[in-house]
Amino acid sequence: MKPIGILGGTFDPVHYGHLRLAEEMRELAGLQQIRFIPTGNPPHRDAPQVSALHRSAMVKLAIVDHPDFVLDEREVRRTAKCYTVDTLRELRTELGEAQPLCLLMGGDAFLQLHTWHQWEKLLDLAHIVVGYRPGFTLEERIHSAMPELRKHYQQRLCNVDFLSQHPAGGIAELAIPKLEISATLIRNRVAENRTIRYLLPSAVANYIYQHHLYAPC
Ligand code: ATP
């Protein structure tokens, strides 16, 4: 069964780094669909600069042309703290025990996984698929990770075929060129009145300007 990918993020705003990561992973891991799940009230980091409504609307604009990319607004509708483990539990109930689920993330996010709420449960609910820069494998960097995370990595490392053959439990690495784009870069450039063209879809850039997002007060 083809896996469903899950890409969570603050998407403050969504940009081509996210979209390329998703598209490369869709192709390399043979994903049938990728759900973009903007976080509502992220427990890990400072509050996003703009509301969940705006962040969600920007994701919608960014993926409108892609038949396999879907906006999933469940976290922005939640009023309590948003934990990925709760989202995965919900998806598992909705999609059934047999459906392979892949939680997608960049290598930096993976090395911090042990800071996530009930992080070890995540692997009972989904695979984790990590994008790493070619030439900078996780294997080289995993030595600096927390020992429990390192143990899971060593025991669960799998190839792409495993992802469609099992519903959860594997950790796969995919070599994906990382674009030097971040939401922080885009917010800073807007605040400095500098161009953001070609860093994100033009529909998203237009939305930012129309709604005066990220501009200095
Ligand atoms: P910020 O700059 O505000 O920290 P961000 O651009 O890193 O934001 P997030 O919404 O925090 O975006 O990221 C969501 C996911 O996308 C994370 O797993 C992150 O590793 C990944 N990601 C973000 N930017 C890139 C990029 N340029 N290339 C590949 N993956 C990326």
Side-chain angles (χ1 to χ4, degrees), residues 7-12 15 17-18 21 45 104-106 109 178-185 187:
L7 182 61
T10 43
F11 302 123
D12 189 20
H15 53 70
H18 300 127
L21 176 74
R45 44 183 291 165
L104 314 178
M105 62 184 74
K178 191 178 178 204
L179 301 181
E180 288 303 329
I181 302 175
S182 67
T184 306
L185 172 83
R187 294 194 300 271

Side-chain angles (χ1 to χ4, degrees), residues 11-19 49-50 58 62 179-202 204-209 213-216:
F11 302 123
D12 189 20
V14 64
H15 53 70
Y16 280 135
H18 300 127
L19 295 168
Q49 272 200 18
V50 309
M58 290 189 280
L179 301 181
E180 288 303 329
I181 302 175
S182 67
T184 306
L185 172 83
I186 293 168
R187 294 194 300 271
N188 290 342
R189 291 184 75 99
V190 175
E192 291 161 9
N193 222 358
R194 296 181 64 195
T195 174
I196 54 171
R197 189 181 285 217
Y198 308 130
L199 295 174
L200 73 180
S202 52
V204 179
N206 291 339
Y207 185 96
I208 290 172
Y209 294 129
L213 307 183
Y214 311 119

Side-chain angles (χ1 to χ4, degrees), residues 65-85:
D65 291 336
H66 200 306
D68 304 324
F69 286 0
V70 171
L71 170 64
D72 183 326
E73 294 186 289
R74 72 186 64 231
E75 290 195 4
V76 301
R77 285 195 295 261
R78 231 180 260 157
T79 45
K81 276 224 181 285
C82 279
Y83 293 113
T84 302
V85 69

Side-chain angles (χ1 to χ4, degrees), residues 17-81:
H18 300 127
L19 295 168
R20 282 303 307 169
L21 176 74
E23 180 65 351
E24 295 263 1
M25 284 189 163
R26 185 191 64 76
E27 184 178 61
L28 294 174
L31 306 176
Q32 57 167 291
Q33 178 191 80
I34 296 187
R35 293 186 179 221
F36 284 67
I37 309 191
T39 186
N41 184 7
H44 277 106
R45 44 183 291 165
D46 297 340
Q49 272 200 18
V50 309
S51 70
L53 190 88
H54 282 313
R55 291 182 291 108
S56 215
M58 290 189 280
V59 171
K60 197 172 189 173
L61 287 171
I63 65 176
V64 70
D65 291 336
H66 200 306
D68 304 324
F69 286 0
V70 171
L71 170 64
D72 183 326
E73 294 186 289
R74 72 186 64 231
E75 290 195 4
V76 301
R77 285 195 295 261
R78 231 180 260 157
T79 45
K81 276 224 181 285

Side-chain angles (χ1 to χ4, degrees), residues 10 28 32 40 47 50 53 65 74 78 86 88 90 108 113 115-116 132 136-137 140 142 151 155 209 217:
T10 43
L28 294 174
Q32 57 167 291
V50 309
L53 190 88
D65 291 336
R74 72 186 64 231
R78 231 180 260 157
D86 299 326
L88 289 183
E90 277 182 28
D108 296 343
L113 195 70
T115 64
W116 295 27
Y132 68 89
F136 293 87
T137 65
E140 289 160 17
I142 198 71
K151 201 173 91 195
Q155 289 173 349
Y209 294 129
C217 310

